[in-house]
Amino acid sequence: MAETITPTSPAQLRDAILWALGDKVALEIIGHGSKRAYGHAVRADYVLDLSKLTGILFYQPEELVISAHAGTPLAEITALLAQKHQQFQFEPGDFPRLLGGQRDGAVAGQAPAGTLGGMVATNISGPRRLKSGAARDHVLGFGAVSGRGEDFKSGGRVMKNVTGFDLSKLMAGSFGTLGVMHTLTLKAMPVPEKTRTVLVPCEDVVLAGQAMTAAMGSENEVSGAAWVPASMLAMISPDAAETGDVGSATSMVMLRVEGPEQSVDWRAAALCRLLDDIGSAMVLRTEKSLAVWQAIADVKPMQSRHDSILWRLSVPPSSGGAVVQALGRIEPNVDAMLDWAGGLVWAQFAAGSVEQAGKIRQIAVDAGGQACLVRAADDLRREIPVFQPLSSEINRINHKISENFDPHNILNPGRMTPGLAQGGVSGNQAVGA
């Protein structure tokens, strides 16, 4: 079993990395370990555990900014924001349950689990990404230690246009392979006054994609657009599954509008009229709407089958419906749902193989996107790349970046690309995923 190093301050974190650098030993970087199964297994003799590097440094509700150490539980931060009716606009989901059950740091009925640093390092973003951007777009600044044992930082407390390279965009999604963030400052936003969700019955997934495209192109400021098949509807919205108005086993287009009450009521009615030729819509009010979009962010219908294979495909929104149809030709019983107006496809298979992975990736590439293997058995994750293989040119750039930040490959070796040698020269890594 790997030995654990548990720093409680940025200075101790730097000392730990300098020691590892001097002895040429690799470190697995974790917070609560809630996303440890996302990506490839790390081969390291030591675990650098940031779960004790905690604490909210400052929170200025009037300035919409919060700063905390990377190991601070995300549940603690979201609870503090909620006291001032604020939130992270990119609404991260609860990945621990999706990856294989309740993990350390997760609290029943409270989402998301994990730490602030883990959320940013994996760049997890929910349904509002299509309107508000990803987690990386809300990072105002950070402090970190590189694989060279050097302190570095980027940004500050306010959003502003700057010249030069935005390191926040690089670190978010790098899975701890370039540096270990110890301090993060993020933008918060007010919780919308009211929320409405328009539900439109639609069995045809391609037609559903067209409906979401029409809704997003309208003047109604849609902040969430998803398609949920009938088989998953009860897990997302029991009200929609049970009501006689739309039927008990009907796939649904789900559209969210947020803002002042009079505005959301008017926009919800406008969306109902816009999509009237597809089906007779119903509207969920705030409380039920919030539950629906939390379930979509958590990918709740796909949490229970931990022995299944789960893929996440990012494609142009207009092609999402066709991608689901193509996946159905690989496996007729595939479970799939759409988020981000068709730009995000969640697909669950009963079993997987190298051949199947190749077909899924080809479908994503043909659509102009990419595919990531989110959940699979360890042996399958060893056989195929979890993340989309990159072009030789992008790999060359990533290699240069890795050489600059972590030349001896001591931080999370192999997390993003299998086959990297522990403590050796850094391999090509798909940073910024």
Side-chain angles (χ1 to χ4, degrees):
M1 179 179 291
E3 296 186 41
T4 300
I5 304 169
T6 310
T8 59
S9 69
Q12 289 183 5
L13 171 63
R14 184 183 63 249
D15 290 345
I17 293 177
L18 283 171
W19 167 80
L21 182 63
D23 282 21
K24 297 294 187 295
V25 297
L27 300 171
E28 180 183 10
I29 319 301
I30 67 168
H32 287 160
S34 62
K35 303 168 191 68
R36 214 169 185 175
Y38 191 20
H40 294 283
V42 175
R43 295 172 302 283
D45 292 327
Y46 292 85
V47 173
L48 188 57
D49 181 350
L50 302 187
S51 63
K52 302 300 182 184
L53 184 52
T54 64
I56 295 172
L57 303 177
F58 64 82
Y59 174 39
Q60 298 174 344
E62 67 283 356
E63 299 295 334
L64 300 174
V65 60
I66 187 167
S67 181
H69 284 312
T72 307
L74 201 49
E76 178 182 337
I77 294 175
T78 55
L80 178 61
L81 293 175
Q83 291 177 15
K84 298 294 183 179
H85 304 288
Q86 294 182 359
Q87 63 182 358
F88 288 137
Q89 196 80 341
F90 52 93
E91 55 184 334
D94 188 357
F95 259 57
R97 294 181 183 87
L98 192 66
L99 292 171
Q102 193 73 24
R103 304 279 178 149
D104 292 343
V107 180
Q110 206 171 32
T115 64
L116 180 65
M119 176 191 70
V120 174
T122 52
N123 195 38
I124 291 175
S125 311
R128 207 180 283 109
R129 188 193 191 286
L130 55 81
K131 180 179 180 182
S132 302
R136 59 163 57 97
D137 300 306
H138 296 254
V139 178
L140 300 175
F142 70 88
V145 181
S146 73
R148 296 176 179 270
E150 299 172 342
D151 291 305
F152 68 104
K153 63 180 181 178
S154 177
R157 298 189 182 189
V158 297
M159 294 293 286
K160 58 183 179 180
N161 293 323
V162 296
T163 57
F165 193 83
D166 187 351
L167 288 178
S168 298
K169 299 293 193 296
L170 182 67
M171 295 296 290
S174 64
F175 285 71
T177 59
L178 301 178
V180 183
M181 293 179 288
H182 54 71
T183 306
L184 286 150
T185 303
L186 278 81
K187 176 173 61 173
M189 292 298 288
V191 173
E193 179 184 326
K194 299 292 181 181
T195 303
R196 300 288 184 266
T197 300
V198 176
L199 305 178
V200 183
C202 184
E203 293 292 349
D204 186 335
V205 66
V206 173
L207 182 60
Q210 295 169 355
M212 289 187 286
T213 298
M216 295 302 300
S218 72
E219 70 280 9
N220 297 304
E221 298 182 15
V222 175
S223 67
W227 176 79
V228 178
S231 60
M232 301 184 188
L233 194 58
M235 294 290 289
I236 296 291
S237 176
D239 297 277
E242 294 173 4
T243 180
D245 293 338
V246 294
S248 59
T250 305
S251 302
M252 289 282 178
V253 171
M254 299 186 172
L255 305 169
R256 178 176 60 187
V257 290
E258 300 172 299
E261 185 168 15
Q262 186 175 1
S263 172
V264 295
D265 285 338
W266 188 92
R267 286 182 283 145
L271 288 169
C272 291
R273 293 192 297 270
L274 177 68
L275 303 177
D276 184 60
D277 58 334
I278 294 178
S280 178
M282 66 176 290
V283 179
L284 299 180
R285 299 180 71 82
T286 298
E287 184 177 351
K288 292 178 179 179
S289 288
L290 294 178
V292 162
W293 292 98
Q294 184 65 65
I296 291 174
D298 294 346
V299 202
K300 188 176 180 180
M302 298 181 178
Q303 289 181 358
S304 59
R305 290 176 54 191
H306 298 149
D307 58 343
S308 66
I309 308 301
L310 182 61
W311 286 86
R312 179 182 185 271
L313 290 76
S314 299
V315 298
S318 60
S319 65
V323 166
V324 171
Q325 287 187 331
L327 293 173
R329 288 192 285 272
I330 294 177
E331 172 54 63
N333 295 321
V334 61
D335 292 321
M337 62 179 280
L338 298 176
D339 197 359
W340 300 355
L344 178 62
V345 181
W346 291 101
Q348 182 173 252
F349 297 82
S353 66
V354 174
E355 180 183 6
Q356 181 196 69
K359 293 178 180 179
I360 292 171
R361 285 234 157 89
Q362 191 58 54
I363 289 172
V365 169
D366 290 346
Q370 57 184 348
C372 171
L373 179 60
V374 173
R375 184 178 65 213
D378 290 342
D379 57 349
L380 185 59
R381 288 198 295 150
R382 285 191 293 266
E383 289 185 59
I384 65 173
V386 168
F387 301 101
Q388 182 77 29
L390 302 175
S391 68
S392 58
E393 182 62 23
I394 297 299
N395 271 326
R396 185 185 66 80
I397 294 171
N398 281 344
H399 185 80
K400 290 293 185 182
I401 293 172
S402 296
E403 283 186 330
N404 278 281
F405 281 88
D406 183 19
H408 296 286
N409 191 32
I410 65 170
L411 303 179
N412 274 351
R415 181 70 187 271
M416 303 196 74
T417 304
L420 295 182
Q422 176 180 315
V425 177
S426 175
N428 298 325
Q429 299 183 5
V431 297

mmCIF file of all heavy atoms in Angstrom, residues 192-218:
data_model
loop_
_atom_site.group_PDB
_atom_site.id
_atom_site.type_symbol
_atom_site.label_atom_id
_atom_site.label_comp_id
_atom_site.label_asym_id
_atom_site.label_seq_id
_atom_site.Cartn_x
_atom_site.Cartn_y
_atom_site.Cartn_z
ATOM 1 N N PRO A 192 -30.925 32.275 -9.160
ATOM 2 C CA PRO A 192 -32.062 32.916 -9.833
ATOM 3 C C PRO A 192 -33.295 32.967 -8.942
ATOM 4 O O PRO A 192 -33.537 32.045 -8.135
ATOM 5 C CB PRO A 192 -32.298 32.025 -11.056
ATOM 6 C CG PRO A 192 -30.983 31.359 -11.293
ATOM 7 C CD PRO A 192 -30.376 31.151 -9.940
ATOM 8 N N GLU A 193 -34.068 34.014 -9.099
ATOM 9 C CA GLU A 193 -35.267 34.197 -8.273
ATOM 10 C C GLU A 193 -36.261 33.055 -8.461
ATOM 11 O O GLU A 193 -36.778 32.500 -7.495
ATOM 12 C CB GLU A 193 -35.928 35.534 -8.625
ATOM 13 C CG GLU A 193 -37.193 35.840 -7.862
ATOM 14 C CD GLU A 193 -37.857 37.126 -8.318
ATOM 15 O OE1 GLU A 193 -37.143 38.063 -8.704
ATOM 16 O OE2 GLU A 193 -39.115 37.185 -8.311
ATOM 17 N N LYS A 194 -36.538 32.705 -9.706
ATOM 18 C CA LYS A 194 -37.487 31.638 -10.018
ATOM 19 C C LYS A 194 -36.943 30.790 -11.166
ATOM 20 O O LYS A 194 -36.133 31.248 -11.971
ATOM 21 C CB LYS A 194 -38.853 32.203 -10.421
ATOM 22 C CG LYS A 194 -39.549 33.038 -9.344
ATOM 23 C CD LYS A 194 -39.968 32.184 -8.156
ATOM 24 C CE LYS A 194 -40.678 33.043 -7.103
ATOM 25 N NZ LYS A 194 -41.074 32.235 -5.921
ATOM 26 N N THR A 195 -37.427 29.548 -11.215
ATOM 27 C CA THR A 195 -37.036 28.625 -12.279
ATOM 28 C C THR A 195 -38.275 27.922 -12.815
ATOM 29 O O THR A 195 -39.156 27.535 -12.050
ATOM 30 C CB THR A 195 -36.046 27.563 -11.752
ATOM 31 O OG1 THR A 195 -34.912 28.214 -11.188
ATOM 32 C CG2 THR A 195 -35.585 26.642 -12.868
ATOM 33 N N ARG A 196 -38.325 27.762 -14.110
ATOM 34 C CA ARG A 196 -39.379 26.987 -14.755
ATOM 35 C C ARG A 196 -38.733 25.980 -15.698
ATOM 36 O O ARG A 196 -37.727 26.280 -16.353
ATOM 37 C CB ARG A 196 -40.335 27.885 -15.551
ATOM 38 C CG ARG A 196 -41.054 28.940 -14.722
ATOM 39 C CD ARG A 196 -42.127 28.337 -13.831
ATOM 40 N NE ARG A 196 -42.857 29.372 -13.114
ATOM 41 C CZ ARG A 196 -42.540 29.792 -11.875
ATOM 42 N NH1 ARG A 196 -41.497 29.262 -11.237
ATOM 43 N NH2 ARG A 196 -43.256 30.736 -11.298
ATOM 44 N N THR A 197 -39.310 24.792 -15.773
ATOM 45 C CA THR A 197 -38.842 23.773 -16.717
ATOM 46 C C THR A 197 -39.991 23.363 -17.612
ATOM 47 O O THR A 197 -41.041 22.909 -17.135
ATOM 48 C CB THR A 197 -38.295 22.537 -15.981
ATOM 49 O OG1 THR A 197 -37.193 22.938 -15.156
ATOM 50 C CG2 THR A 197 -37.810 21.490 -16.973
ATOM 51 N N VAL A 198 -39.792 23.533 -18.900
ATOM 52 C CA VAL A 198 -40.785 23.138 -19.902
ATOM 53 C C VAL A 198 -40.478 21.716 -20.342
ATOM 54 O O VAL A 198 -39.354 21.407 -20.763
ATOM 55 C CB VAL A 198 -40.747 24.088 -21.108
ATOM 56 C CG1 VAL A 198 -41.710 23.610 -22.198
ATOM 57 C CG2 VAL A 198 -41.084 25.516 -20.673
ATOM 58 N N LEU A 199 -41.452 20.833 -20.232
ATOM 59 C CA LEU A 199 -41.315 19.430 -20.627
ATOM 60 C C LEU A 199 -42.140 19.180 -21.874
ATOM 61 O O LEU A 199 -43.351 19.408 -21.883
ATOM 62 C CB LEU A 199 -41.783 18.512 -19.501
ATOM 63 C CG LEU A 199 -41.136 18.702 -18.123
ATOM 64 C CD1 LEU A 199 -41.749 17.733 -17.122
ATOM 65 C CD2 LEU A 199 -39.636 18.504 -18.201
ATOM 66 N N VAL A 200 -41.474 18.716 -22.914
ATOM 67 C CA VAL A 200 -42.146 18.449 -24.180
ATOM 68 C C VAL A 200 -41.942 16.984 -24.549
ATOM 69 O O VAL A 200 -40.801 16.541 -24.718
ATOM 70 C CB VAL A 200 -41.595 19.346 -25.306
ATOM 71 C CG1 VAL A 200 -42.363 19.110 -26.606
ATOM 72 C CG2 VAL A 200 -41.659 20.818 -24.914
ATOM 73 N N PRO A 201 -43.017 16.186 -24.668
ATOM 74 C CA PRO A 201 -42.859 14.771 -25.037
ATOM 75 C C PRO A 201 -42.287 14.633 -26.438
ATOM 76 O O PRO A 201 -42.751 15.279 -27.373
ATOM 77 C CB PRO A 201 -44.286 14.216 -24.948
ATOM 78 C CG PRO A 201 -45.176 15.407 -25.080
ATOM 79 C CD PRO A 201 -44.438 16.556 -24.484
ATOM 80 N N CYS A 202 -41.245 13.795 -26.574
ATOM 81 C CA CYS A 202 -40.607 13.620 -27.887
ATOM 82 C C CYS A 202 -39.813 12.324 -27.874
ATOM 83 O O CYS A 202 -38.753 12.230 -27.249
ATOM 84 C CB CYS A 202 -39.690 14.809 -28.201
ATOM 85 S SG CYS A 202 -38.960 14.731 -29.841
ATOM 86 N N GLU A 203 -40.312 11.322 -28.562
ATOM 87 C CA GLU A 203 -39.624 10.032 -28.624
ATOM 88 C C GLU A 203 -38.471 10.032 -29.613
ATOM 89 O O GLU A 203 -37.476 9.333 -29.430
ATOM 90 C CB GLU A 203 -40.620 8.928 -29.028
ATOM 91 C CG GLU A 203 -41.690 8.638 -27.987
ATOM 92 C CD GLU A 203 -41.136 7.995 -26.730
ATOM 93 O OE1 GLU A 203 -39.958 7.581 -26.738
ATOM 94 O OE2 GLU A 203 -41.868 7.915 -25.729
ATOM 95 N N ASP A 204 -38.564 10.824 -30.674
ATOM 96 C CA ASP A 204 -37.545 10.871 -31.725
ATOM 97 C C ASP A 204 -36.373 11.719 -31.244
ATOM 98 O O ASP A 204 -36.498 12.939 -31.103
ATOM 99 C CB ASP A 204 -38.161 11.461 -32.990
ATOM 100 C CG ASP A 204 -37.213 11.414 -34.184
ATOM 101 O OD1 ASP A 204 -35.985 11.382 -33.973
ATOM 102 O OD2 ASP A 204 -37.698 11.437 -35.329
ATOM 103 N N VAL A 205 -35.218 11.102 -31.026
ATOM 104 C CA VAL A 205 -34.089 11.826 -30.459
ATOM 105 C C VAL A 205 -33.537 12.873 -31.426
ATOM 106 O O VAL A 205 -33.048 13.930 -30.999
ATOM 107 C CB VAL A 205 -32.991 10.836 -30.020
ATOM 108 C CG1 VAL A 205 -32.378 10.102 -31.206
ATOM 109 C CG2 VAL A 205 -31.916 11.553 -29.216
ATOM 110 N N VAL A 206 -33.621 12.625 -32.723
ATOM 111 C CA VAL A 206 -33.169 13.631 -33.690
ATOM 112 C C VAL A 206 -34.104 14.836 -33.672
ATOM 113 O O VAL A 206 -33.654 15.991 -33.683
ATOM 114 C CB VAL A 206 -33.075 13.025 -35.102
ATOM 115 C CG1 VAL A 206 -32.768 14.110 -36.133
ATOM 116 C CG2 VAL A 206 -31.998 11.943 -35.146
ATOM 117 N N LEU A 207 -35.403 14.588 -33.620
ATOM 118 C CA LEU A 207 -36.378 15.675 -33.514
ATOM 119 C C LEU A 207 -36.180 16.432 -32.202
ATOM 120 O O LEU A 207 -36.318 17.661 -32.159
ATOM 121 C CB LEU A 207 -37.796 15.117 -33.597
ATOM 122 C CG LEU A 207 -38.943 16.135 -33.542
ATOM 123 C CD1 LEU A 207 -38.838 17.127 -34.695
ATOM 124 C CD2 LEU A 207 -40.294 15.418 -33.569
ATOM 125 N N ALA A 208 -35.835 15.711 -31.146
ATOM 126 C CA ALA A 208 -35.565 16.357 -29.864
ATOM 127 C C ALA A 208 -34.384 17.314 -29.984
ATOM 128 O O ALA A 208 -34.406 18.426 -29.431
ATOM 129 C CB ALA A 208 -35.286 15.309 -28.797
ATOM 130 N N GLY A 209 -33.358 16.893 -30.718
ATOM 131 C CA GLY A 209 -32.215 17.765 -30.936
ATOM 132 C C GLY A 209 -32.603 19.027 -31.688
ATOM 133 O O GLY A 209 -32.145 20.131 -31.368
ATOM 134 N N GLN A 210 -33.467 18.873 -32.667
ATOM 135 C CA GLN A 210 -33.937 20.035 -33.429
ATOM 136 C C GLN A 210 -34.752 20.970 -32.544
ATOM 137 O O GLN A 210 -34.653 22.204 -32.655
ATOM 138 C CB GLN A 210 -34.757 19.565 -34.625
ATOM 139 C CG GLN A 210 -33.951 18.777 -35.655
ATOM 140 C CD GLN A 210 -34.818 18.104 -36.700
ATOM 141 O OE1 GLN A 210 -36.060 18.143 -36.629
ATOM 142 N NE2 GLN A 210 -34.182 17.477 -37.687
ATOM 143 N N ALA A 211 -35.557 20.382 -31.643
ATOM 144 C CA ALA A 211 -36.356 21.198 -30.724
ATOM 145 C C ALA A 211 -35.461 21.999 -29.786
ATOM 146 O O ALA A 211 -35.715 23.186 -29.526
ATOM 147 C CB ALA A 211 -37.299 20.299 -29.925
ATOM 148 N N MET A 212 -34.401 21.359 -29.273
ATOM 149 C CA MET A 212 -33.490 22.069 -28.376
ATOM 150 C C MET A 212 -32.737 23.168 -29.115
ATOM 151 O O MET A 212 -32.520 24.262 -28.578
ATOM 152 C CB MET A 212 -32.519 21.082 -27.731
ATOM 153 C CG MET A 212 -33.182 20.164 -26.712
ATOM 154 S SD MET A 212 -32.020 19.124 -25.779
ATOM 155 C CE MET A 212 -31.565 17.911 -27.023
ATOM 156 N N THR A 213 -32.376 22.902 -30.376
ATOM 157 C CA THR A 213 -31.704 23.919 -31.179
ATOM 158 C C THR A 213 -32.614 25.120 -31.394
ATOM 159 O O THR A 213 -32.187 26.278 -31.288
ATOM 160 C CB THR A 213 -31.274 23.340 -32.531
ATOM 161 O OG1 THR A 213 -30.336 22.280 -32.318
ATOM 162 C CG2 THR A 213 -30.624 24.403 -33.407
ATOM 163 N N ALA A 214 -33.882 24.856 -31.679
ATOM 164 C CA ALA A 214 -34.845 25.947 -31.865
ATOM 165 C C ALA A 214 -35.019 26.750 -30.585
ATOM 166 O O ALA A 214 -35.075 27.991 -30.606
ATOM 167 C CB ALA A 214 -36.186 25.378 -32.327
ATOM 168 N N ALA A 215 -35.080 26.058 -29.454
ATOM 169 C CA ALA A 215 -35.246 26.746 -28.168
ATOM 170 C C ALA A 215 -34.033 27.607 -27.850
ATOM 171 O O ALA A 215 -34.166 28.752 -27.393
ATOM 172 C CB ALA A 215 -35.487 25.731 -27.060
ATOM 173 N N MET A 216 -32.846 27.069 -28.091
ATOM 174 C CA MET A 216 -31.632 27.833 -27.811
ATOM 175 C C MET A 216 -31.497 29.031 -28.740
ATOM 176 O O MET A 216 -30.915 30.054 -28.366
ATOM 177 C CB MET A 216 -30.392 26.931 -27.955
ATOM 178 C CG MET A 216 -30.313 25.808 -26.937
ATOM 179 S SD MET A 216 -30.321 26.372 -25.212
ATOM 180 C CE MET A 216 -28.863 27.390 -25.172
ATOM 181 N N GLY A 217 -32.033 28.920 -29.936
ATOM 182 C CA GLY A 217 -31.950 30.023 -30.895
ATOM 183 C C GLY A 217 -33.029 31.066 -30.724
ATOM 184 O O GLY A 217 -33.002 32.102 -31.404
ATOM 185 N N SER A 218 -33.969 30.814 -29.826
ATOM 186 C CA SER A 218 -35.044 31.777 -29.594
ATOM 187 C C SER A 218 -34.583 32.863 -28.634
ATOM 188 O O SER A 218 -33.471 32.833 -28.113
ATOM 189 C CB SER A 218 -36.271 31.053 -29.009
ATOM 190 O OG SER A 218 -36.030 30.666 -27.663
#
